[in-house]
Amino acid sequence: MEDRRKLIESGNGVLGIELGSTRIKAVLVDENHTPIASGSHQWENRLENGIWTYSLEDIWSGVQACYQDLSGNVKRQYGAEIKSLAAIGVSAMMHGYMAFDQEDNLLTPFRTWRNTITGKAAKELSNLFQFNIPERWSIAHLDQAVLNQEEHVPKITFLTTLAGYIHWKLTGRKVLGVGDASGMFPIDSATGKYHQRMADKFDGLSVTRGCPWKLREILPEILTAGEEAGRLTKEGAKLLDVSGILEEGIPFCPPEGDAGTGMAATNSVAKRTGNVSAGTSVFAMVVLEKELSRLYREIDMVTTPDGSLVAMVHANNCTSDLNAWVGIFREFAHTAGVTIEDDRLYGLLYEKALEGDKDCGGLLAFGYLSGESITKVDEGRPLFVRTPESKFNLANLMRVHLYSALGALNLGMRILLKEEQVKLDSLLGHGGLFKTKGVGQKIMAAAMKTPVSVMETAGEGGPWGMALLASYMVHREEGEKLEEYLAHKVFAQNKGSKMEPDAEDVKGFEKFMERYQAGLDIEKAAGSSL
């Protein structure tokens, strides 16, 4: 405790902050990369005029509340105040659309990754580039705004992601880590910069549509892991810490997306490694040895924080509907006069799922709060269906919602593992799905048909991964690669617990997936009818 107090007071802690879909979290680590304090703030996106968004007020009040929570916890735990830090890193949910004019005004409400309103643009650009452009990518949002002839388009002078925006306001630098940038526009793996041929093609298209800017003029500058990306300004310090205690001048590493921090947090930046992040959304990241044989609309091509080629399978929906069902049981317990802590409630229900039939007893669920591009569903409608013969009990109810959370992901991963014969030496899981020991891990192993490991640090997730990237910037040795730093200095003693897929679970999941694919017409009809 005394050592940690001295570390904090001497300004040698490293801070990672991540803005996730439902929680903003900050993690402070020591020189051994061990989390020593954290803070958090719950928030939620809102659907306004058909757009999933967070307001600027939501963003800054959330970031400030998270930092205040961290500072308060540091004060209570160690009797110390954070005046300075060795480094800071900011990450956030990837993709989306934040467009600004020359006076730095936000031109249209922030459009998050969750929006599935760019189908026409995504298809047009995928064909133009012969490279998969998902609907949630920033360039798809930009092109759709151009196609829609939206009034704000000619005024754009800067386009960035949520992480890039926060970093810009704290440091004054309009930059982005290569991993997050790869979810804005395709990256040339040979140069680590925006793909020039594709950018030229886009500019040719936009000029004919009357756009006064060129693409590379409005996108953030790309930096890779290990580079300094600016320092906390006086204004930025006041913006982050409303108490006024935090000092300016703290170095920042490049801002990253939640996919990049997930790779760092699971030691999955080397080739033939992969990780699955399962929370509000779910995505698998596989670091490739070579490029895929052809374009797949279900697979995104992005990069690690240090620029290696990654295949990403992203599903918009994972645990949101599952959490809503848990909320029903929380409400019932409260009505009955029983208070159950959330960790215990989730533990009871998740563990009950393991008692269910391997195929969920014939139940079917779609946890689609929003559209799902992998399954070509435009609008989400959470749905639960059973036949008169289905075995409807608590264990099967919980099991089917856990299975459904991984249904779309399973369809995308089949392409990599079966059609492309991609080799995986390790697949690591992290995120909320894995908090109850052994449950999410067991079901993920069945869904992926591959061994899944979960580290003791899995619950720390993205903000810890961001702190690792910030630590790498200030503590790495000359010429030391990110994968070497993580393997030897962070994870040498943390191998995690490995779980092999159970043969009967695999059969049960496959049977469920047959029902899942057959039931997609029901989900699409619900979107049309409700």
Side-chain angles (χ1 to χ4, degrees):
M1 294 291 286
E2 180 62 17
D3 288 345
R4 289 179 174 180
R5 184 185 66 78
K6 289 179 179 177
L7 176 101
I8 293 164
E9 291 183 339
S10 65
N12 287 318
V14 173
L15 178 63
I17 303 172
E18 182 159 287
L19 290 85
S21 300
T22 58
R23 185 173 66 154
I24 304 171
K25 186 176 179 183
V27 171
L28 184 67
V29 303
D30 62 17
E31 67 274 20
N32 298 314
H33 313 99
T34 302
I36 58 175
S38 65
S40 66
H41 171 75
Q42 298 294 126
W43 73 334
E44 189 56 73
N45 56 185
R46 59 188 77 177
L47 187 63
E48 293 182 350
N49 301 315
I51 302 292
W52 290 103
T53 188
Y54 303 84
S55 69
L56 293 184
E57 183 182 351
D58 291 337
I59 292 168
W60 287 113
S61 64
V63 168
Q64 291 164 354
C66 175
Y67 185 83
Q68 284 180 294
D69 189 42
L70 169 73
S71 299
N73 289 334
V74 166
K75 185 85 171 179
R76 281 186 289 275
Q77 289 175 254
Y78 305 108
E81 290 183 332
I82 304 172
K83 294 182 180 179
S84 189
L85 294 156
I88 301 176
V90 176
S91 59
M93 56 193 109
M94 288 178 70
H95 319 299
Y97 185 77
M98 297 192 81
F100 298 86
D101 66 15
Q102 61 183 359
E103 277 83 40
D104 298 340
N105 298 310
L106 185 66
L107 290 167
T108 187
F110 170 37
R111 300 172 185 179
T112 77
W113 59 270
R114 181 167 245 172
N115 290 288
T116 52
I117 56 174
T118 65
K120 185 176 180 181
K123 184 176 181 180
E124 174 184 78
L125 294 178
S126 296
N127 291 333
L128 179 69
F129 299 154
Q130 283 302 292
F131 184 99
N132 183 40
I133 302 296
E135 292 183 25
R136 65 188 179 281
W137 278 29
S138 306
I139 191 62
H141 281 279
L142 176 61
D143 191 47
Q144 192 66 53
V146 173
L147 289 171
N148 295 345
Q149 297 183 318
E150 295 186 37
E151 190 177 314
H152 75 273
V153 169
K155 303 174 187 176
I156 297 173
T157 60
F158 182 48
L159 179 66
T160 192
T161 65
L162 180 56
Y165 167 68
I166 299 290
H167 181 94
W168 168 36
K169 290 302 179 182
L170 296 180
T171 68
R173 294 281 306 276
K174 294 180 177 180
V175 300
L176 209 57
V178 65
D180 203 11
S182 70
M184 291 193 77
F185 191 83
I187 301 297
D188 184 340
S189 57
T191 65
K193 304 300 180 185
Y194 299 115
H195 200 290
Q196 184 170 331
R197 178 180 56 80
M198 295 184 195
D200 289 342
K201 283 190 173 185
F202 183 85
D203 284 339
L205 197 64
S206 60
V207 165
T208 64
R209 292 168 177 169
C211 298
W213 37 256
K214 289 192 179 295
L215 185 63
R216 279 161 290 189
E217 295 172 351
I218 64 173
L219 292 179
E221 176 191 354
I222 294 178
L223 299 176
T224 56
E227 294 186 81
E228 185 178 306
R231 290 182 175 252
L232 185 66
T233 63
K234 185 177 182 180
E235 297 76 17
K238 290 179 181 178
L239 195 54
L240 180 59
D241 180 14
V242 294
S243 73
I245 296 172
L246 191 64
E247 299 171 354
E248 62 183 293
I250 300 167
F252 273 66
C253 68
E256 266 299 346
D258 48 2
T261 59
M263 286 185 271
T266 55
N267 191 24
S268 303
V269 299
K271 291 178 176 61
R272 294 173 64 113
T273 64
N275 77 90
V276 179
S277 174
T280 304
S281 64
V282 59
F283 51 84
M285 312 287 294
V286 179
V287 187
L288 300 175
E289 295 179 282
K290 60 180 181 178
E291 294 190 3
L292 300 182
S293 64
R294 64 179 182 87
L295 180 153
Y296 295 94
R297 291 306 307 271
E298 300 88 351
I299 308 293
D300 306 355
M301 301 308 298
V302 292
T303 77
T304 63
D306 58 350
S308 295
L309 191 63
V310 174
M312 177 182 187
V313 180
H314 182 285
N316 288 347
N317 303 279
C318 186
T319 61
S320 292
D321 192 46
L322 176 58
N323 293 340
W325 281 92
V326 173
I328 291 293
F329 291 107
R330 183 191 299 113
E331 185 179 346
F332 169 75
H334 180 75
T335 302
V338 179
T339 300
I340 305 177
E341 293 295 325
D342 268 5
D343 284 350
R344 175 156 171 73
L345 179 61
Y346 273 92
L348 287 170
L349 292 172
Y350 277 35
E351 287 163 7
K352 188 69 178 178
L354 297 184
E355 300 174 17
D357 294 310
K358 301 295 185 182
D359 70 341
C360 309
L363 305 182
L364 176 61
F366 290 96
Y368 289 10
L369 261 73
S370 63
E372 193 60 76
S373 57
I374 288 178
T375 51
K376 298 178 176 58
V377 174
D378 293 331
E379 292 189 55
R381 298 292 185 271
L383 191 66
F384 173 62
V385 184
R386 62 189 175 103
T387 67
E389 295 79 27
S390 299
K391 297 178 183 177
F392 184 36
N393 55 43
L394 179 58
N396 283 338
L397 177 71
M398 293 310 302
R399 193 176 187 103
V400 77
H401 282 96
L402 284 164
Y403 273 20
S404 180
L406 305 179
L409 178 73
N410 172 274
L411 295 176
M413 284 296 289
R414 289 183 188 189
I415 294 170
L416 289 180
L417 300 179
K418 284 186 176 180
E419 296 185 34
E420 288 289 329
Q421 296 292 303
V422 168
K423 304 301 179 188
L424 266 177
D425 293 334
S426 63
L427 185 65
L428 290 107
H430 65 110
L433 187 72
F434 300 100
K435 280 192 173 182
T436 300
K437 189 173 181 179
V439 179
Q441 186 179 6
K442 182 177 175 64
I443 288 173
M444 183 68 75
M448 299 294 103
K449 294 185 184 177
T450 194
V452 173
S453 296
V454 175
M455 295 182 176
E456 294 172 11
T457 50
E460 301 296 342
W464 183 61
M466 195 66 238
L468 296 183
L469 292 173
S471 296
Y472 172 65
M473 179 188 72
V474 291
H475 295 314
R476 70 188 177 109
E477 297 175 17
E478 185 69 29
E480 187 175 27
K481 294 180 180 179
L482 178 60
E483 65 180 83
E484 296 168 340
Y485 183 88
L486 293 175
H488 303 313
K489 295 181 177 176
V490 180
F491 293 100
Q493 305 303 319
N494 187 356
K495 301 300 182 185
S497 61
K498 187 176 182 179
M499 187 174 288
E500 299 284 339
D502 177 84
E504 292 304 310
D505 284 344
V506 170
K507 288 180 184 176
F509 194 90
E510 282 296 305
K511 195 170 180 181
F512 163 77
M513 284 304 299
E514 291 174 9
R515 194 180 315 123
Y516 183 92
Q517 289 178 273
L520 282 168
D521 286 340
I522 309 171
E523 173 65 22
K524 292 173 183 176
S528 301
S529 303
L530 294 176

